[in-house]
């Protein structure tokens, strides 16, 4: 009877060790996924910041073109207003890029938070 109990104890110990190994492996995998999600979040935040800078640059170019157009001759003004329209389009595109980057940053942050929650 003692031998059977010893065998049973060894079996439980082996099962516990295997469960611990599986749990450690899952934790390691989750930690790697969390790090990847954090890298993606950082990249998305950098892209959002870059998009914001582009918006500001495009707005400055638009204002400059409009100001130049106001003080120019009629012929030159037509070209400057075309530049202003082009600058306005760049602002619109930059704003779209900024919004997309912000959405991606938020999604990356949510993913990191979800993985962090899974890990705990």
């Amino acid at each position: 009877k003692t031998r059977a109990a010893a065998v049973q104890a060894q079996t439980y110990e082996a099962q516990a060790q295997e469960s611990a190994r599986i749990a450690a492996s899952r934790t390691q995998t989750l930690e790697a996924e969390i790090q990847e999600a954090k890298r993606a979040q950082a990249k998305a935040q950098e892209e959002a910041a870059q998009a914001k800078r582009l918006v500001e640059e495009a707005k400055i170019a638009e204002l400059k073109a409009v100001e130049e157009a106001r003080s120019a001759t009629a012929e030159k003004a037509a070209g400057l207003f075309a530049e202003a329209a082009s600058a306005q389009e760049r602002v619109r595109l930059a704003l779209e890029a900024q919004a997309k980057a912000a959405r991606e940053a938020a999604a990356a942050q949510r993913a990191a938070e979800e993985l962090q929650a899974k890990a705990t």
Side-chain angles (χ1 to χ4, degrees), residues 47-94:
E47 288 174 355
Q50 185 177 1
K52 184 177 181 179
R53 286 190 298 275
L54 289 174
V55 167
E56 293 306 315
E57 291 171 7
K59 284 180 179 179
I60 290 168
E62 177 184 9
L63 289 174
K64 183 180 174 190
V66 169
E67 285 303 313
E68 287 178 2
R70 285 185 181 148
S71 63
T73 63
E75 184 179 306
K76 187 176 179 186
L80 291 173
F81 278 118
E83 280 183 40
S86 175
Q88 284 177 330
E89 178 63 10
R90 287 195 304 274
V91 168
R92 186 187 69 74
L93 293 173

Side-chain angles (χ1 to χ4, degrees), residues 2 12 17 27 41-43 47 73 75 88 95 104 106:
T2 308
Y12 288 149
Q17 288 174 348
T27 299
Q41 179 183 3
K43 182 181 179 205
E47 288 174 355
T73 63
E75 184 179 306
Q88 284 177 330
L95 286 169
E104 289 173 357

